[in-house]
Amino acid sequence: MPHLGVYPGGGFSIFEDHKVEIVGSRGAETITDQDRVDLFRKAFVLLHSSAVNGQAAWDLITAVLAAR
């Protein structure tokens, strides 16, 4: 099972390193404060390093289904 460096939470998108759009259960929010944008950039780096694709993703899904 891969280790996540940060809880993935709701979805967010980073635009040109100066704006973050967050979509969650409470609606959408736009962030332009650079300190907060930097936090989301750090979160993205942690999530990206935890991501799997291709055969590794297939193996992970298969292992989770087998454990049920």
Side-chain angles (χ1 to χ4, degrees):
M1 197 62 93
H3 172 74
L4 294 177
V6 63
Y7 174 70
F12 65 91
S13 299
I14 302 172
F15 296 92
E16 299 178 9
D17 287 334
H18 68 268
K19 180 172 83 171
V20 174
E21 295 283 340
I22 304 170
V23 179
S25 60
R26 295 184 291 166
E29 178 182 2
T30 300
I31 295 172
T32 57
D33 175 74
Q34 196 57 49
D35 289 338
R36 290 189 67 201
V37 170
D38 290 343
L39 287 174
F40 279 93
R41 190 179 306 110
K42 289 177 186 177
F44 177 82
V45 168
L46 290 170
L47 289 168
H48 187 266
S49 67
S50 301
V52 292
N53 57 56
Q55 187 61 48
W58 183 259
D59 293 344
L60 176 60
I61 292 167
T62 303
V64 170
L65 289 174
R68 295 177 90 193

